[in-house]
């Protein structure tokens, strides 16, 4: 009996459920670099290179284990360009008796896989992704009947389930669920941060980079600085480095921002975890061990672990709970096009310019840069949340729809009306000034509230609250801001609204084709061979 095992580009784990118990003598592993996945949005060049390089290295590791790997490269002249087309061709080549595959992480791929059995006349065994601590079914059961789906309560369930940072008698380590209040310090300009590990490009990675430069060179981003881990061994080395050099100070400065400091004390492990190169529970256990050995403060270990077993698992559950149309949510009726500077970085706002720069250079920005600068500005300016979501999906190497969409639609843009977050994450320039050194070198004055030289975040913040008052006034967590707004004189309110309107008129909309495929790419896709099942 021959079993065909397709392994997708974010399933690069040797413990993946589809390979569990498979005899290499009876198994054909199918791996596919396909045009559709590389271009359904115009992914950052480093993101495409990372996934293809990691896939090619993983294929070699499987061959070393004795598996037959049918690997279809992007430049294979017979490449159909889609997962379904390549599975159809593999079925014709290998005549398998069955297909085994781990469930896809995204709705569009899941729906394609569910059609395979009928299309190919074969049993298709779709297995749960055991790399997540909470199955989709478990999350749906947790969410059913709840009035509010707050991450904090889900996180507590995951702590109990895993036993992480719990005492031997089942109590909380340190007596508290989280130590967020201790993890909000700014970082002084000039603070020295340890260098993050940078991995050399071997021949496989260089081949991929050449391929990406030739085929996707017009996509956003720069390939010159590519140094991501592309194997499990490299990812483990990155984890070791983080635990030793940065986790001890991660907590205290995890919300801080400094111009030109792209990694600070952050882990930069999300790319490896989301690809499957690192096991999330094992990563958390290593962090817990560092705390128990006295090398890491409890607040740092807890804050890091919460990002993985709390936030990462939670947003994946929200993605499947909310359904296929979650990305269309637009509770605040925001319709402004995404500004062009999100692609070019050409803006006088120093915070946004630096966040776009690190995004372009590294396919990475840390969570506060994403949420409280890039996301905050888009929400305050009333940018269409679908365009914001597309941008985030394009530009970050760790972005897959299941993790990106809830973070943007629910958390960053409040487009779901508060189903995920208890309040909009809106802030004026004062927050950015408190948590960064951006304002000191900015052409705008963060202390000025209105006028052409004032920090645009200041007027935009009050304009956002004013224009959305009908939908946000009832939010208990916005009671104080609205009380402040009411105490302002009519003239002062009008000044804020007028200053915001004047600034918004200066925003140039992004040119068409940056996020979704432009006409040229669509033409190229149309010209590729089509399978009979597409």
């Amino acid at each position: 009996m021959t079993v065909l095992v397709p392994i997708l580009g974010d399933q690069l784990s040797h413990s993946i459920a589809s390979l569990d118990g498979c005899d290499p003598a009876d198994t054909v592993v199918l791996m596919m670099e396909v045009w559709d996945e590389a271009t359904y949005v115009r992914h950052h060049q480093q993101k495409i290179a990372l996934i293809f390089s990691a896939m090619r290295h993983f294929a070699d590791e499987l061959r070393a284990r004795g598996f037959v790997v049918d690997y279809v490269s992007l430049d294979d002249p017979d490449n159909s360009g889609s997962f379904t087309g390549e599975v159809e061709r593999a079925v014709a080549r290998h005549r398998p008796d069955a297909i085994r595959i781990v469930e896809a992480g995204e709705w569009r791929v899941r729906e394609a896989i569910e059609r395979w059995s009928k299309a190919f006349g074969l049993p298709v065994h779709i297995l749960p992704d055991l790399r997540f601590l909470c199955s989709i079914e478990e999350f749906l059961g947790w969410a059913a009947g709840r009035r509010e789906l707050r991450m904090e309560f889900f996180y507590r369930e995951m702590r109990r389930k895993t036993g992480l940072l719990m005492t031997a008698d089942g109590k909380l380590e340190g007596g508290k669920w989280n130590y967020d209040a201790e993890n909000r310090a700014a970082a002084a300009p000039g603070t020295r941060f340890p260098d993050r590990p940078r991995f050399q490009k071997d021949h496989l990675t260089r081949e991929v980079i050449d391929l990406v430069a030739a085929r996707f060179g017009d996509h956003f981003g720069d390939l010159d600085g590519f140094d991501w881990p592309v194997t499990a061994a490299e990812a483990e080395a990155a984890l070791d480095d983080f635990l030793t050099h940065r986790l001890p100070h991660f907590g205290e400065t995890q919300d801080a921002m400094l111009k030109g400091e792209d990694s600070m004390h952050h882990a930069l492990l999300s790319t490896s975890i989301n690809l499957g190169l690192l096991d999330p529970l094992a990563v958390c256990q290593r962090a817990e061990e560092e705390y128990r050995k006295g090398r890491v403060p409890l607040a740092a270990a807890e804050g890091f672990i919460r990002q993985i077993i709390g936030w990462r698992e939670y947003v994946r559950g929200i993605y499947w709970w909310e359904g296929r149309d979650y990305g269309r949510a637009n509770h605040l009726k925001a319709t402004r096009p995404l500004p062009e500077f999100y692609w070019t970085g050409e803006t006088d706002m120093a915070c946004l310019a630096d966040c776009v720069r690190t995004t372009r250079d590294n396919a990475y920005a840390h969570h506060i840069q994403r949420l409280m600068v890039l996301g905050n500005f888009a929400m305050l300016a009333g940018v269409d949340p679908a365009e914001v979501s597309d941008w985030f999906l394009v530009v970050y190497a760790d972005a897959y729809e299941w993790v990106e969409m809830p973070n943007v639609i629910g958390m960053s843009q409040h487009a779901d009306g508060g189903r995920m977050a208890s309040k909009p994450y809106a802030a004026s320039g004062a927050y950015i000034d408190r948590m960064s050194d951006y304002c000191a070198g900015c052409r705008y004055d963060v202390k000025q509230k209105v006028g052409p030289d004032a920090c645009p975040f200041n007027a935009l913040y009050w304009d956002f609250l004013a224009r959305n008052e009908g939908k946000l006034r009832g939010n208990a967590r916005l009671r104080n801001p609205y009380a402040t707004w009411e105490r302002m004189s009519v003239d002062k309110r009008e000044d804020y609204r007028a200053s915001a309107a004047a600034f918004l008129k200066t925003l140039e909309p992004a040119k068409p084709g940056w996020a979704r495929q432009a006409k040229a790419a669509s033409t190229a896709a149309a010209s590729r061979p089509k399978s009979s099942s597409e």
Side-chain angles (χ1 to χ4, degrees), residues 187-202:
T191 300
R192 293 183 63 85
F193 297 96
D195 290 335
R196 66 178 178 90
R198 300 178 184 277
F199 298 94
Q200 296 299 311
K201 307 175 188 70
D202 64 8

Side-chain angles (χ1 to χ4, degrees), residues 248-513:
H249 303 286
F250 164 77
E252 62 200 51
T253 59
Q254 67 172 300
D255 286 4
M257 299 173 283
L258 291 176
K259 185 176 182 180
E261 291 288 351
D262 297 344
S263 54
M264 301 178 70
H265 288 124
H266 291 276
L268 282 79
L269 298 174
S270 54
T271 53
S272 296
I273 294 173
N274 290 352
L275 280 171
L277 302 180
L278 288 174
D279 176 76
L281 179 58
V283 169
C284 292
Q285 289 168 337
R286 291 282 308 279
E288 180 186 39
E289 182 182 7
E290 292 299 302
Y291 158 70
R292 297 202 181 280
K293 289 183 175 179
R295 294 193 287 255
V296 167
L298 177 57
E302 187 279 322
F304 176 68
I305 288 170
R306 179 160 25 98
Q307 287 190 356
I308 297 176
I309 70 166
W311 196 252
R312 179 176 183 269
E313 297 276 337
Y314 170 76
V315 296
R316 187 236 192 181
I318 290 290
Y319 175 79
W320 292 105
W321 169 261
E322 290 291 343
R324 190 71 167 87
D325 295 331
Y326 189 50
R328 299 192 184 111
N330 192 355
H331 177 71
L332 300 179
K333 306 300 181 188
T335 58
R336 183 176 302 281
L338 188 77
E340 176 72 3
F341 69 71
Y342 273 76
W343 299 112
T344 65
E346 295 174 2
T347 172
D348 288 336
M349 291 175 281
C351 57
L352 283 156
D354 193 58
C355 291
V356 174
R357 176 206 54 80
T358 186
T359 299
R360 181 188 62 242
D361 292 351
N362 305 307
Y364 170 81
H366 71 70
H367 65 283
I368 294 299
Q369 291 174 313
R370 299 190 202 195
L371 177 64
M372 298 308 300
V373 178
L374 296 160
N376 180 29
F377 180 88
M379 182 176 67
L380 297 183
V383 177
D384 185 332
E387 291 199 22
V388 183
S389 184
D390 273 355
W391 185 82
F392 273 84
L393 183 59
V394 165
V395 301
Y396 293 118
D398 58 2
Y400 299 84
E401 191 178 80
W402 64 266
V403 65
E404 170 275 323
M405 185 180 288
N407 269 306
V408 174
I409 297 297
M411 181 75 167
S412 169
Q413 301 304 295
H414 204 70
D416 65 357
R419 297 201 297 274
M420 181 175 163
S422 59
K423 73 176 185 70
Y425 278 81
S428 68
Y431 174 87
I432 297 171
D433 189 31
R434 183 169 66 253
M435 298 307 300
S436 78
D437 66 347
Y438 289 140
C439 300
C442 188
R443 175 261 201 249
Y444 295 104
D445 184 352
V446 71
K447 303 301 183 186
Q448 288 192 38
K449 305 303 181 184
V450 297
D453 295 324
C455 171
F457 278 88
N458 293 334
L460 289 176
Y461 174 77
W462 291 111
D463 183 64
F464 168 78
L465 291 178
R467 72 174 185 268
N468 292 297
E469 186 171 3
K471 293 183 177 178
L472 297 179
R473 166 126 345 235
N475 188 307
R477 296 188 66 186
L478 294 177
R479 186 179 295 120
N480 289 339
Y482 276 114
T484 300
W485 179 249
E486 284 183 350
R487 289 194 296 270
M488 292 182 191
S489 68
V490 172
D491 287 347
K492 187 172 184 179
R493 288 189 220 167
E494 289 179 350
D495 284 347
Y496 273 123
R497 300 298 305 272
S499 187
F503 172 78
L504 291 171
K505 286 181 180 178
T506 69
L507 296 180
E508 291 290 332
K511 297 178 179 64

Side-chain angles (χ1 to χ4, degrees), residues 43-51 196 212 220-228 359-364 397:
H43 300 287
H44 194 296
Q45 294 180 63
Q46 286 193 34
K47 182 179 182 181
I48 300 173
L50 170 64
I51 294 172
R196 66 178 178 90
V212 171
F220 179 75
D222 189 344
L223 284 167
D224 290 344
F226 183 94
D227 53 17
W228 292 103
T359 299
R360 181 188 62 242
D361 292 351
N362 305 307
Y364 170 81

